[in-house]
PDB file of all heavy atoms in Angstrom:
ATOM      1  N   GLU A 187     137.935 127.586  17.178  1.00  0.00           N
ATOM      2  CA  GLU A 187     137.863 128.972  17.683  1.00  0.00           C
ATOM      3  C   GLU A 187     136.403 129.408  17.777  1.00  0.00           C
ATOM      4  O   GLU A 187     135.592 129.078  16.923  1.00  0.00           O
ATOM      5  CB  GLU A 187     138.575 129.927  16.704  1.00  0.00           C
ATOM      6  CG  GLU A 187     139.947 129.492  16.250  1.00  0.00           C
ATOM      7  CD  GLU A 187     140.910 129.317  17.402  1.00  0.00           C
ATOM      8  OE1 GLU A 187     140.917 130.149  18.311  1.00  0.00           O
ATOM      9  OE2 GLU A 187     141.666 128.327  17.390  1.00  0.00           O
ATOM     10  N   ARG A 249     152.032 122.414  28.935  1.00  0.00           N
ATOM     11  CA  ARG A 249     151.174 121.321  29.433  1.00  0.00           C
ATOM     12  C   ARG A 249     151.892 120.516  30.517  1.00  0.00           C
ATOM     13  O   ARG A 249     151.286 120.166  31.539  1.00  0.00           O
ATOM     14  CB  ARG A 249     150.796 120.425  28.250  1.00  0.00           C
ATOM     15  CG  ARG A 249     149.866 119.284  28.591  1.00  0.00           C
ATOM     16  CD  ARG A 249     149.322 118.667  27.321  1.00  0.00           C
ATOM     17  NE  ARG A 249     148.730 119.680  26.475  1.00  0.00           N
ATOM     18  CZ  ARG A 249     148.990 119.854  25.176  1.00  0.00           C
ATOM     19  NH1 ARG A 249     149.797 119.039  24.541  1.00  0.00           N
ATOM     20  NH2 ARG A 249     148.407 120.820  24.499  1.00  0.00           N
ATOM     21  N   ARG A 271     140.898 123.267  26.935  1.00  0.00           N
ATOM     22  CA  ARG A 271     141.887 122.669  26.028  1.00  0.00           C
ATOM     23  C   ARG A 271     142.888 121.801  26.789  1.00  0.00           C
ATOM     24  O   ARG A 271     143.253 122.092  27.914  1.00  0.00           O
ATOM     25  CB  ARG A 271     142.668 123.711  25.213  1.00  0.00           C
ATOM     26  CG  ARG A 271     141.803 124.525  24.273  1.00  0.00           C
ATOM     27  CD  ARG A 271     142.674 125.211  23.214  1.00  0.00           C
ATOM     28  NE  ARG A 271     141.869 126.053  22.345  1.00  0.00           N
ATOM     29  CZ  ARG A 271     141.144 125.587  21.335  1.00  0.00           C
ATOM     30  NH1 ARG A 271     141.140 124.292  21.077  1.00  0.00           N
ATOM     31  NH2 ARG A 271     140.438 126.393  20.578  1.00  0.00           N
ATOM     32  N   THR A 276     146.491 119.727  20.617  1.00  0.00           N
ATOM     33  CA  THR A 276     147.732 119.538  19.848  1.00  0.00           C
ATOM     34  C   THR A 276     147.488 118.595  18.672  1.00  0.00           C
ATOM     35  O   THR A 276     147.965 118.833  17.563  1.00  0.00           O
ATOM     36  CB  THR A 276     148.852 118.990  20.762  1.00  0.00           C
ATOM     37  OG1 THR A 276     149.181 119.995  21.726  1.00  0.00           O
ATOM     38  CG2 THR A 276     150.102 118.645  19.977  1.00  0.00           C
ATOM     39  N   GLN A 280     148.015 121.075  15.707  1.00  0.00           N
ATOM     40  CA  GLN A 280     149.337 120.817  15.110  1.00  0.00           C
ATOM     41  C   GLN A 280     149.276 119.567  14.215  1.00  0.00           C
ATOM     42  O   GLN A 280     149.923 119.531  13.172  1.00  0.00           O
ATOM     43  CB  GLN A 280     150.401 120.653  16.212  1.00  0.00           C
ATOM     44  CG  GLN A 280     150.882 121.981  16.793  1.00  0.00           C
ATOM     45  CD  GLN A 280     149.818 122.740  17.552  1.00  0.00           C
ATOM     46  OE1 GLN A 280     149.124 122.175  18.406  1.00  0.00           O
ATOM     47  NE2 GLN A 280     149.666 124.025  17.249  1.00  0.00           N
ATOM     48  N   MET A 344     146.735 131.852  16.069  1.00  0.00           N
ATOM     49  CA  MET A 344     146.032 130.721  15.479  1.00  0.00           C
ATOM     50  C   MET A 344     144.784 131.189  14.721  1.00  0.00           C
ATOM     51  O   MET A 344     144.445 130.654  13.679  1.00  0.00           O
ATOM     52  CB  MET A 344     145.629 129.694  16.550  1.00  0.00           C
ATOM     53  CG  MET A 344     146.718 129.318  17.513  1.00  0.00           C
ATOM     54  SD  MET A 344     148.217 128.667  16.758  1.00  0.00           S
ATOM     55  CE  MET A 344     147.649 127.094  16.177  1.00  0.00           C
TER      56      MET A 344
HETATM   57  P1  TMP B 566     142.021 129.557  23.172  1.00  0.00           P
HETATM   58  O1  TMP B 566     142.173 128.490  24.212  1.00  0.00           O
HETATM   59  O2  TMP B 566     141.692 130.863  23.718  1.00  0.00           O
HETATM   60  O3  TMP B 566     141.170 129.118  22.053  1.00  0.00           O
HETATM   61  O4  TMP B 566     143.484 129.817  22.549  1.00  0.00           O
HETATM   62  C1  TMP B 566     144.435 128.893  22.428  1.00  0.00           C
HETATM   63  C2  TMP B 566     144.882 128.787  20.990  1.00  0.00           C
HETATM   64  O5  TMP B 566     145.992 127.900  20.937  1.00  0.00           O
HETATM   65  C3  TMP B 566     143.823 128.224  20.064  1.00  0.00           C
HETATM   66  O6  TMP B 566     143.942 128.843  18.814  1.00  0.00           O
HETATM   67  C4  TMP B 566     144.232 126.786  19.915  1.00  0.00           C
HETATM   68  C5  TMP B 566     145.727 126.834  20.053  1.00  0.00           C
HETATM   69  N1  TMP B 566     146.325 125.616  20.580  1.00  0.00           N
HETATM   70  C6  TMP B 566     147.085 124.810  19.744  1.00  0.00           C
HETATM   71  O7  TMP B 566     147.274 125.126  18.571  1.00  0.00           O
HETATM   72  N2  TMP B 566     147.648 123.682  20.263  1.00  0.00           N
HETATM   73  C7  TMP B 566     147.507 123.304  21.567  1.00  0.00           C
HETATM   74  O8  TMP B 566     148.032 122.265  21.993  1.00  0.00           O
HETATM   75  C8  TMP B 566     146.684 124.154  22.430  1.00  0.00           C
HETATM   76  C9  TMP B 566     146.485 123.791  23.867  1.00  0.00           C
HETATM   77  C10 TMP B 566     146.119 125.288  21.898  1.00  0.00           C
END
Side-chain angles (χ1 to χ4, degrees):
E187 312 301 318
R249 182 167 307 130
R271 297 197 183 280
T276 294
Q280 281 66 49
M344 312 303 290

